[in-house]
Amino acid sequence: MLIPLILSGGSGTRLWPVSRKNLPKQFLSLTGQGTLFQQTVARTRLLPGVGAPIVVASEDHRFLAAEQLLESGIEGAAIVLEPVARNTAPAIALGALQAIARDPQALLLVLPADHLIGDTESFTDAVQRALPAAQQGWLVTFGIRPDRPETGFGYIRRAEAIGEGAYRVEQFVEKPVLATAKSYLADGSYDWNSGMFLFKASRYLEELAEYAPAMLEAVRVAHASATTDLDFVRLDQDAFAKVPDNSIDYAVMEKTQRAAVIPVSCDWSDIGSWAALWLAGVRDAQGNLREGDTIAVNTKNSLLRSHDRHLLATVGVDDLIVVTTPDATLVAHRDAAQDVKRVVDELKAAGRSEHSLHRVVRRPWGSYDSLESADRFQVKRIVVKPGAALSLQKHHHRAEHWIVVSGTAEVTCDDKVFLLGENQSTYIPLGSVHRLRNPGKVPLEIIEVQSGSYLGEDDIVRFEDVYGRS
């Protein structure tokens, strides 16, 4: 059985302020239909005989992954949750163990969740061409045929052919300087390292046992003690924290004697920066990639992305990246796109929340938007999905007023349970045990006004929660 393994642990810091820790780029709709995660899953469904995917994701992103799989109509997927990040080699080992439990002869198609592939037909053809080598025990990677001297990617040098369209890997090469990248392009035997792989799950574990036995043993221990909760496979945090951190390239691919590469041209991009998104997008006659409400006067070769109905206007500029969200604006030269992560580093160092949270925060039950806040009050717009409910909870430091804007609210407040309709409101005193539920078939929207001495999200005591949060 061919089983896709979707690696979804990235943070996408170079695409700030749209990509943030709690909503990274793989779960965003940046280009095309659906999010990058959903596009990755959709590509795998085009392959004959493919099984349900295995997703390895961060604990923080579990509901995003589950909801987007549900929206994509995917059933039977396993979502393995990493309590701490440990890079690609352990993540793939987890996927391999999970796949072997399903089918001891499983072939594992390893795909990062945040890549863009414009030519899906060429991609699926490359996977088909890689199958014979993978069945023969090769660890196959997919090399992207370069169309420019790119310094932001690692490269793979091809050796002799080992089958139709497949070659033995001669060498993995780190990101080169520009002159070296130009020589690689002229040479013709170098491909970009895409980070996509196809191999037998059992073969990968054999190679890991050879070259990183301590890692494999630690992963086995963590996987053996995993528990199943809702749609998720949960690992013990202490056990997984003992797993060494390493990439598949360093741990296995650069050491094995059985590395093969399939060259492919499939309009691929890792969307590693705003400059990469500009390059991959459909630009206008002036070279601008524009999204949202934008006006570009005498503006060339720029990426302009405006949030919602917020007007973004530029005059007399070239080669810029200008991105707005409800709580942040980024202005950068396109050549400095890789340095956007330094903004995230400064936000972290300053203890600011904009590196991790959007103003609109998604939850498994819906979302909330922080409209206004000061020292002793905060105003939120809360949207609850039909049939969904917040946890039964209380707060030690704040009271809340709820005003129903649309839909119907079922309110629990201590020993009372009652319904509120549009334009009705209620008061939740400090310390009261309460819950908000949407019993209707349309989204429930309320305005919540919080008041008190402390308004942080950690001032919450949960008594019941259908989503397994503590």
Side-chain angles (χ1 to χ4, degrees):
M1 179 187 296
L2 178 62
I3 300 178
L5 172 59
I6 313 298
L7 302 181
S8 187
S11 57
T13 55
R14 291 179 180 86
L15 289 177
W16 185 89
V18 173
S19 175
R20 306 194 188 184
K21 179 181 177 183
N22 282 18
L23 187 61
K25 65 174 180 175
Q26 60 266 32
F27 298 112
L28 296 170
S29 180
L30 295 173
T31 182
Q33 185 174 2
T35 67
L36 293 175
F37 175 83
Q38 289 173 320
Q39 290 178 30
T40 302
V41 173
R43 283 193 293 274
T44 69
R45 310 320 293 169
L46 302 175
L47 295 164
V50 71
I54 297 169
V55 176
V56 178
S58 165
E59 173 85 15
D60 293 336
H61 304 150
R62 61 195 187 278
F63 295 117
L64 289 170
E67 183 175 14
Q68 293 194 6
L69 285 172
L70 182 64
E71 290 174 355
S72 300
I74 302 299
E75 298 180 354
I79 305 175
V80 183
L81 302 179
E82 292 182 300
V84 291
R86 282 297 179 264
N87 217 316
T88 54
I92 295 170
L94 286 172
L97 291 171
Q98 196 73 24
I100 287 172
R102 191 186 300 179
D103 176 7
Q105 302 302 316
L107 286 165
L108 211 57
L109 176 62
V110 181
L111 302 173
D114 55 359
H115 289 184
L116 176 67
I117 293 178
D119 185 351
T120 55
E121 185 175 346
S122 292
F123 166 75
T124 54
D125 176 68
V127 174
Q128 295 285 82
R129 287 188 285 117
L131 287 172
Q135 290 283 17
Q136 294 164 18
W138 290 88
L139 276 62
V140 183
T141 187
F142 297 90
I144 306 301
R145 299 297 295 124
D147 57 8
R148 62 186 186 275
E150 177 62 57
T151 61
F153 303 143
Y155 284 71
I156 301 169
R157 185 176 185 181
R158 281 174 270 124
E160 73 277 5
I162 60 168
E164 185 177 352
Y167 300 82
R168 184 177 63 82
V169 171
E170 176 70 27
Q171 184 183 14
F172 287 88
V173 183
E174 296 294 329
K175 298 174 183 178
V177 298
L178 182 58
T180 304
K182 288 181 178 179
S183 71
Y184 291 167
L185 188 64
D187 181 281
S189 62
Y190 289 85
D191 303 310
W192 291 335
N193 186 351
S194 71
M196 300 186 293
F197 305 91
L198 178 68
F199 38 66
K200 285 185 176 180
S202 58
R203 280 288 297 118
Y204 176 72
L205 296 179
E206 289 170 5
E207 295 287 319
L208 204 59
E210 174 72 20
Y211 298 111
M215 176 187 292
L216 178 58
E217 178 59 26
V219 171
R220 285 191 185 278
V221 170
H223 187 262
S225 62
T227 59
T228 301
D229 174 24
L230 298 176
D231 298 322
F232 312 117
V233 178
R234 291 181 177 271
L235 304 173
D236 179 77
Q237 181 167 346
D238 292 338
F240 197 65
K242 297 176 182 177
V243 175
D245 182 318
N246 208 348
S247 71
I248 181 177
D249 285 350
Y250 288 140
V252 174
M253 297 302 292
E254 293 185 4
K255 299 174 181 177
T256 181
Q257 300 301 306
R258 298 284 285 175
V261 59
I262 298 283
V264 58
S265 296
C266 57
D267 196 13
W268 170 92
S269 173
D270 70 343
I271 310 295
S273 68
W274 287 114
L277 186 62
W278 173 84
L279 194 63
V282 179
R283 301 181 294 279
D284 63 20
Q286 287 71 47
N288 298 315
L289 179 62
R290 297 165 58 182
E291 183 172 343
D293 191 2
T294 63
I295 295 176
V297 177
N298 193 22
T299 298
K300 298 178 182 178
N301 302 320
S302 295
L303 184 151
L304 310 177
R305 185 183 178 103
S306 173
H307 169 78
D308 200 13
R309 294 178 296 276
H310 181 88
L311 173 62
L312 169 60
T314 57
V315 180
V317 297
D318 298 343
D319 302 315
L320 283 188
I321 295 164
V322 186
V323 180
T324 72
T325 65
D327 62 345
T329 299
L330 170 70
V331 180
H333 195 279
R334 197 158 47 80
D335 290 343
Q338 295 290 339
D339 292 331
V340 171
K341 64 177 181 179
R342 294 172 58 183
V343 176
V344 176
D345 293 339
E346 291 206 16
L347 290 170
K348 288 181 182 178
R352 299 186 55 149
S353 64
E354 289 95 335
H355 79 277
S356 60
L357 294 174
H358 283 274
R359 201 184 78 177
V360 177
V361 177
R362 290 171 173 79
R363 290 290 186 254
W365 44 260
S367 65
Y368 68 82
D369 183 357
S370 297
L371 303 176
E372 186 67 49
S373 64
D375 288 343
R376 295 188 62 87
F377 81 90
Q378 183 169 214
V379 180
K380 290 182 176 181
R381 172 180 175 264
I382 296 177
V383 178
V384 185
K385 300 173 186 176
L390 283 67
S391 59
L392 185 67
Q393 59 185 255
K394 73 174 182 180
H395 309 295
H396 290 300
H397 303 287
R398 71 175 185 253
E400 297 172 345
H401 296 259
W402 292 347
I403 305 162
V404 176
V405 176
S406 62
T408 301
E410 179 189 277
V411 178
T412 299
C413 185
D414 292 325
D415 58 349
K416 298 178 181 178
V417 179
F418 53 94
L419 296 177
L420 293 177
E422 188 174 319
N423 294 325
Q424 293 183 313
S425 63
T426 190
Y427 172 63
I428 308 296
L430 184 152
S432 290
V433 176
H434 60 278
R435 188 198 324 255
L436 178 66
R437 189 175 79 87
N438 180 359
K441 296 183 179 180
V442 298
L444 163 65
E445 181 178 343
I446 75 166
I447 299 297
E448 176 182 83
V449 180
Q450 303 175 354
S451 59
S453 59
Y454 179 71
L455 306 172
E457 287 301 311
D458 55 347
D459 177 24
I460 181 170
V461 178
R462 289 191 175 94
F463 299 98
E464 295 177 10
D465 185 68
V466 297
Y467 308 106
R469 298 170 298 172
S470 57

